[in-house]
């Protein structure tokens, strides 16, 4: 531990609070853009030197610790039980990040539920390993961005599911667009990527990568080795998986795309679609190219979950349904996604049977707002009305269970209030922390404004100075517009 000029130990908590984060972000971004420029010029020795400089920078270490200690999993410990939640521990963590003598500890294995009622294994690294991965991700991400597929949208800065759906619209909406779609599914993608391929092809510090790939995981009191796949639960895993799949679009275009074949590619993480003018092109030309590409990386195309569909029959992609009716494109929330949303909202209402009604409304508002914000860029108005109706019915049953001896008139007076926007608004009065009476209103999905979204340019990346003004423009245009139903 370092000692000050007076011989006293440094105040780590104060040091963390005095950090100027604007300067930290600016200095890290400057180095990242230099790395991206060197990649563009194919100067790989300079890329390696700049990556070394960035991973040994105190600014990058501070930023890495801030990221892993403030994200959603910051309170979840690894096998050592340690978390960095206070300023002093965060500063100590940043100062402890060193390549010399570093060894990754085994992951803590847990199981999380899947959509199909099964369970997915997840590995939780210790805080120091998370910070090391976040640190080296800062140096790897500019390289990954400069070599990424133009139509890859998952786990990349300034890209989201709505961009992938937007590209589906661009590829399929016109009258003369492709009519056939291959819905691809990679079997155990994150768990199956070849370690040998990662070591040979990922431009990152080999010493650090080896530590993460060979650390194994702990289940119960036993340690098990990991022979394939990206570091489970690691913050760097999505970028490693993206880099393993980058190049698929070019391989398909070079090996299968020809005049009039209308081959287009859209990928979000390990979910992807390929369009074509005919089913034969997808079966005879596209599928063999994809299988060969994946085989080189130790991956397999799932025969059971890979389908070829006509656009008139429609397909689900990222919880949204893409389909043509009478040659007109219509993108709506997928039926399964709507069912899951309704079940979740009804379960929330049931779970607050005897608890605070205000807390129930606040939780419902969070779930309604999040789901509506995801689907507000497509034709979702009809679905929003249906879900609002389901929620209102669930709340009606909740009121009757809570007050079985009260009349409808009494229930309406207690829970329904009028505003300038609407006569019927479900609301609850409660006493806030200041001791004053407050009212919380139920948000309706139809109150979340639907907006027309313009997808990101395929080759745009925040690390290329050419697109600096472009991303400033997109940031200004992405402000949330919400109609407030409870304005008095």
């Amino acid at each position: 531990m370092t000692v000050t000029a007076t011989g006293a130990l440094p105040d780590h908590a104060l040091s963390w609070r005095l950090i100027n984060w604007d300067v930290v972000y600016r200095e890290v971004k400057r180095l990242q853009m230099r790395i991206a420029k060197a990649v563009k010029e194919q100067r790989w020795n300079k890329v390696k030197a700049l990556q070394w400089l960035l991973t040994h920078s105190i600014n990058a270490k501070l930023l890495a610790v801030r990221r892993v200690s403030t994200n959603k999993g910051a309170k979840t410990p690894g096998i050592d039980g340690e978390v960095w939640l206070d300023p002093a521990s965060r500063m100590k963590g940043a100062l402890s990040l060193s390549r010399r003598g570093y060894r990754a500890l085994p992951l803590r294995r847990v199981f999380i539920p899947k959509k199909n009622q099964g369970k997915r294994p997840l590995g939780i690294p210790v805080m120091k390993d998370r910070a090391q991965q976040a640190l080296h991700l800062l140096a790897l991400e500019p390289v990954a961005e400069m070599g990424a597929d133009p139509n890859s949208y998952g786990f990349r800065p300034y890209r989201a599911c709505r961009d992938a759906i937007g590209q589906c619209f661009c590829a399929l909406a016109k009258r003369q667009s492709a009519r056939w779609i291959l819905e691809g599914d990679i079997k155990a993608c994150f768990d199956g990527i070849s370690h040998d391929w990662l070591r040979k092809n990922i431009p990152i510090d080999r010493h650090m990568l080896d530590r993460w790939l060979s650390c194994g995981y702990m289940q119960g009191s036993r340690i098990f080795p990991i022979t394939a796949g990206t570091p489970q639960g690691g913050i760097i895993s999505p970028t490693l998986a993206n880099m393993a799949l980058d190049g698929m679009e070019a391989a398909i275009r070079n090996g299968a795309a020809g005049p009039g074949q209308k081959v287009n590619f859209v990928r979000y993480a390990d979910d992807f679609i390929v369009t074509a003018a005919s089913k034969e092109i997808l079966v005879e030309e596209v599928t063999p190219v994809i299988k060969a590409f994946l085989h080189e990386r130790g991956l397999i195309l799932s025969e059971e979950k890979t389908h070829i569909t006509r656009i008139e029959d429609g397909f689900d992609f990222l919880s949204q349904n893409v389909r043509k009716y009478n040659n007109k494109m219509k993108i709506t929330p997928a039926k399964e996604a709507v069912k899951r949303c309704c079940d979740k909202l009804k379960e929330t209402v049931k779970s607050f049977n005897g608890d605070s009604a205000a807390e129930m409304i606040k939780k419902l508002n969070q779930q309604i707002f999040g789901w509506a914000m995801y689907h507000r860029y497509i034709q979702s108005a009809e679905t929003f009305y249906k879900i609002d109706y389901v929620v209102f019915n669930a709340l009606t049953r909740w009121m009757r269970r809570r007050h079985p001896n009260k009349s409808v008139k009494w229930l309406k007076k207690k829970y329904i209030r009028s505003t300038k926007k609407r006569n019927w608004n479900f609301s609850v009065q409660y006493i806030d922390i200041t001791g004053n009476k407050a009212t919380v209103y139920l948000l309706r999905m139809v109150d979340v404004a639907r907006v027309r979204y313009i997808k990101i340019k395929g080759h745009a990346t925040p690390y290329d100075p050419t697109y600096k003004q472009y991303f400033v423009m997109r940031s200004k245009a992405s402000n949330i517009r919400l109609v407030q139903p409870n304005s008095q």
Side-chain angles (χ1 to χ4, degrees):
M1 183 178 292
T2 56
V3 180
T4 62
T6 60
L9 294 176
D11 187 340
H12 291 301
L14 180 60
S15 300
W16 182 266
R17 293 191 181 98
L18 292 177
I19 294 172
N20 186 332
W21 290 107
D22 288 337
V23 173
V24 170
Y25 277 101
R26 187 165 58 247
E27 288 301 310
V28 171
K29 187 67 177 287
R30 182 179 63 83
L31 278 172
Q32 288 179 315
M33 295 185 80
R34 288 182 64 190
I35 292 172
K37 182 182 177 183
V39 172
K40 196 173 184 178
E41 297 170 352
Q42 298 292 296
R43 300 173 63 185
W44 295 106
N45 286 334
K46 186 172 183 179
V47 170
K48 188 175 181 180
L50 289 170
Q51 285 182 318
W52 180 275
L53 186 63
L54 180 59
T55 56
H56 287 72
S57 160
I58 185 60
N59 289 317
K61 292 177 180 180
L62 292 171
L63 192 57
V65 170
R66 189 186 197 196
R67 179 174 181 180
V68 301
S69 61
T70 57
N71 61 14
K72 286 181 67 175
K75 297 180 181 180
T76 306
I79 62 170
D80 61 354
E82 183 180 350
V83 290
W84 298 342
L85 299 180
D86 59 277
S89 61
R90 290 170 181 170
M91 193 68 199
K92 290 177 183 177
L95 295 175
S96 71
L97 297 183
S98 174
R99 183 180 185 275
R100 187 186 297 274
Y102 170 72
R103 293 186 65 85
L105 292 178
L107 310 172
R108 180 166 71 90
R109 173 65 69 93
V110 297
F111 293 89
I112 57 176
K114 296 168 65 175
K115 291 180 183 178
N116 60 0
Q117 306 302 320
K119 290 191 175 181
R120 184 194 307 276
L122 179 69
I124 302 176
V126 299
M127 290 300 298
K128 189 170 184 179
D129 292 343
R130 287 181 233 177
Q132 287 281 16
Q133 289 187 24
L135 174 62
H136 285 79
L137 177 59
L138 292 172
L140 181 63
E141 195 169 65
V143 183
E145 279 295 296
M146 296 305 290
D149 287 341
N151 291 304
S152 163
Y153 300 98
F155 303 108
R156 293 181 59 190
Y158 292 93
R159 297 188 179 221
C161 295
R162 54 185 175 269
D163 291 294
I165 296 296
Q167 180 59 25
C168 291
F169 182 87
C170 294
L172 296 165
K174 295 180 181 178
R175 184 178 293 271
Q176 66 272 22
S177 296
R179 317 294 292 186
W180 291 87
I181 300 97
L182 182 146
E183 304 171 64
D185 184 89
I186 303 171
K187 186 178 292 184
C189 178
F190 283 80
D191 297 330
I193 300 173
S194 166
H195 282 184
D196 289 338
W197 190 93
L198 289 173
R199 290 186 177 98
K200 291 176 183 176
N201 294 277
I202 302 298
I204 195 174
D205 189 324
R206 295 287 187 275
H207 171 81
M208 304 299 288
L209 183 61
D210 282 336
R211 293 291 182 269
W212 300 326
L213 295 179
S214 61
C215 67
Y217 66 91
M218 179 173 285
Q219 189 169 345
S221 58
R222 294 183 59 191
I223 297 178
F224 298 87
I226 299 174
T227 57
T230 57
Q232 294 182 30
I235 198 169
I236 202 171
S237 297
T239 301
L240 294 178
N242 264 341
M243 295 183 76
L245 297 177
D246 282 334
M248 189 189 298
E249 181 173 1
I252 291 171
R253 292 190 181 279
N254 294 335
Q261 292 187 336
K262 302 176 183 178
V263 174
N264 295 283
F265 175 85
V266 185
R267 178 170 68 85
Y268 187 94
D270 59 337
D271 294 328
F272 66 91
I273 66 161
V274 184
T275 72
S278 69
K279 184 176 182 179
E280 290 71 24
I281 295 171
L282 294 174
V283 173
E284 299 171 8
E285 299 183 34
V286 173
T287 302
V289 170
I290 294 174
K291 287 182 177 179
F293 178 89
L294 295 177
H295 178 74
E296 183 183 348
R297 290 151 177 78
L299 299 171
I300 301 173
L301 192 66
S302 173
E303 300 289 346
E304 302 81 25
K305 297 181 180 179
T306 298
H307 307 288
I308 296 178
T309 314
R310 291 172 68 249
I311 186 61
E312 288 79 11
D313 297 328
F315 64 96
D316 289 348
F317 187 54
L318 303 176
S319 296
Q320 295 179 348
N321 182 262
V322 182
R323 188 176 180 181
K324 266 188 177 179
Y325 297 86
N326 297 324
N327 245 341
K328 186 175 181 181
M329 176 69 75
K330 189 174 183 180
I331 304 178
T332 57
K335 289 182 179 180
E336 283 297 318
V338 175
K339 184 179 183 302
R340 288 196 302 269
C341 176
C342 291
D343 290 345
K344 185 176 181 181
L345 291 170
K346 287 189 288 187
E347 187 60 36
T348 298
V349 174
K350 287 181 181 178
S351 66
F352 279 87
N353 198 21
D355 298 325
S356 168
E359 291 302 316
M360 177 186 70
I361 298 301
K362 289 177 183 178
K363 187 170 182 179
L364 283 173
N365 283 348
Q366 290 176 353
Q367 294 171 347
I368 290 169
F369 184 74
W371 202 89
M373 287 297 292
Y374 180 85
H375 292 281
R376 71 180 183 140
Y377 302 100
I378 58 175
Q379 293 160 285
S380 53
E382 185 178 344
T383 302
F384 285 5
Y385 277 107
K386 288 180 179 178
I387 295 176
D388 284 340
Y389 181 73
V390 168
V391 174
F392 186 81
N393 282 342
L395 288 172
T396 300
R397 291 191 294 270
W398 173 85
M399 286 189 292
R400 288 171 177 168
R401 285 197 310 270
R402 193 176 180 94
H403 308 284
N405 300 321
K406 299 297 183 180
S407 66
V408 173
K409 185 177 180 180
W410 186 92
L411 293 174
K412 180 180 175 182
K413 184 177 180 180
K414 181 172 178 64
Y415 291 108
I416 306 298
R417 288 173 178 79
S418 298
T419 65
K420 293 180 181 178
K421 300 288 183 182
R422 189 180 291 114
N423 288 332
W424 285 69
N425 293 282
F426 191 90
S427 60
V428 173
Q429 290 186 332
Y430 68 102
I431 305 300
D432 61 17
I433 57 175
T434 62
N436 298 320
K437 185 179 289 187
T439 304
V440 57
Y441 288 82
L442 177 71
L443 173 68
R444 296 192 183 186
M445 280 199 182
V446 294
D447 293 324
V448 177
R450 270 79 67 200
V451 297
R452 185 177 295 276
Y453 183 74
I454 300 174
K455 69 171 285 290
I456 193 171
K457 291 180 180 178
H459 292 282
T461 169
Y463 301 110
D464 189 342
T466 309
Y467 293 99
K468 182 177 181 180
Q469 193 58 38
Y470 173 74
F471 282 104
V472 171
M473 177 270 295
R474 286 187 68 85
S475 297
K476 290 180 180 178
S478 63
N479 292 329
I480 295 172
R481 294 191 294 115
L482 175 66
V483 177
Q484 297 293 345
N486 56 342
S487 55
Q488 300 297 324

